[in-house]
Amino acid sequence: MIHKGLSLASKCQCCLHTENIHHVLILASVAVRTWVYFDDLFKLNCFNYHLSLKAFLNCWLVNIKGHIRNVIPCLILWFLWLERNNSIFNGVKMGHLNVIQKVKDKVAALLAVKLISVKDFKNYLFVFKTLGGSMDPSISLVRTFKWNKPPHNFYKLNIDVSINDNVTGFGGVIRDSNGYFVAGFAGPLNNVDY
C-alpha cells in the first residue's frame, strides 16, 4: 500500500502478521490448517512451516505426470491465494475449510471431465473417494448449481440430503441478500428407507 509517499507492508488477512508470499502460502493459520489437513489425508508427515516453499513442494511432488500428489499442492496454493484476495477485496473472512472444500470440488470436477482419473491416484487410492472419486463411472461426480441471491433484506435457505453406503445425513445453510453466511446446520438421518 502506498500512502503519501510511504511504502507500507500489508497485513495478513487471517492473523495481521506482516504479509509476504511465504506467510500467505505456508505460515498463516489458514494455510497451516489447510496443509495439515492434506498432509494427514495423504499420510505424508512432511508439513514443516520452517521449510522454504520450494523445499516444501519437493516433499509433495512425485515424478509421475498428472499424479494427484502433483495436483493437490498446486490447487492448495491457488485457492489459498484466492482466499487471501477474496478477503482483501471483498471483505470475506478467510477460512481453511473454504480452501479445503474448493480443492476437493476442483478435484471432483477434474475427475468428472476426465482430466484426471483413478490411475492418477497410484499408491493413494485410499484418498480417491475423499477427494470426490467414485469407482462406479455411472455415478455423476459433480453437479454444478447456480446460486441466486435473494431480494434485498431477504434470506435464502438451501438444504440437501446425502445418502452414501447406507449412511444418510442432511445439512443446510442460510445466507443473506449479499450471499454472506448467516447460519448452517447438519446432522445424521436415522431409520431412513430408500
Side-chain angles (χ1 to χ4, degrees):
M1 179 169 109
I2 297 177
H3 182 70
K4 295 188 179 184
L6 298 173
S7 177
L8 303 173
S10 59
K11 298 288 184 184
C12 175
Q13 295 299 299
C14 68
C15 64
L16 302 180
H17 184 277
T18 301
E19 185 179 68
N20 61 44
I21 291 295
H22 189 259
H23 182 81
V24 171
L25 301 179
I26 302 289
L27 289 177
S29 62
V30 169
V32 168
R33 289 178 178 164
T34 302
W35 285 113
V36 167
Y37 172 84
F38 286 101
D39 188 81
D40 290 346
L41 182 64
F42 280 81
K43 298 177 178 26
L44 295 179
N45 198 26
C46 73
F47 179 76
N48 182 339
Y49 57 84
H50 295 295
L51 292 175
S52 69
L53 183 56
K54 181 179 178 181
F56 181 65
L57 289 176
N58 283 334
C59 294
W60 266 91
L61 302 178
V62 295
N63 197 18
I64 303 171
K65 184 178 179 181
H67 195 275
I68 194 65
R69 277 193 44 191
N70 297 335
V71 173
I72 292 295
C74 296
L75 293 176
I76 293 171
L77 293 171
W78 176 247
F79 287 117
L80 283 170
W81 187 250
L82 288 182
E83 190 75 2
R84 175 252 185 210
N85 289 341
N86 198 25
S87 180
I88 288 174
F89 300 113
N90 298 322
V92 177
K93 186 175 182 196
M94 289 182 74
H96 70 286
L97 295 176
N98 293 338
V99 177
I100 291 168
Q101 190 58 52
K102 286 176 183 172
V103 170
K104 288 180 175 184
D105 290 346
K106 184 56 78 174
V107 170
L110 292 170
L111 285 163
V113 298
K114 298 181 180 7
L115 287 174
I116 60 174
S117 68
V118 68
K119 71 176 180 57
D120 296 313
F121 286 77
K122 183 177 180 184
N123 299 325
Y124 291 92
L125 284 178
F126 58 92
V127 299
F128 180 68
K129 191 172 183 181
T130 304
L131 293 178
S134 170
M135 294 299 198
D136 183 353
S138 67
I139 297 173
S140 175
L141 296 174
V142 175
R143 289 182 216 139
T144 303
F145 298 94
K146 182 178 183 213
W147 187 83
N148 294 314
K149 293 180 184 180
H152 184 64
N153 291 330
F154 279 78
Y155 295 89
K156 183 179 263 190
L157 167 65
N158 294 105
I159 59 171
D160 197 10
V161 175
S162 175
I163 301 171
N164 188 6
D165 297 332
N166 298 325
V167 177
T168 58
F170 69 96
V173 64
I174 300 171
R175 295 187 182 272
D176 66 14
S177 57
N178 292 314
Y180 292 120
F181 175 84
V182 175
F185 58 90
L189 290 172
N190 299 321
N191 301 322
V192 176
D193 293 323
Y194 51 91

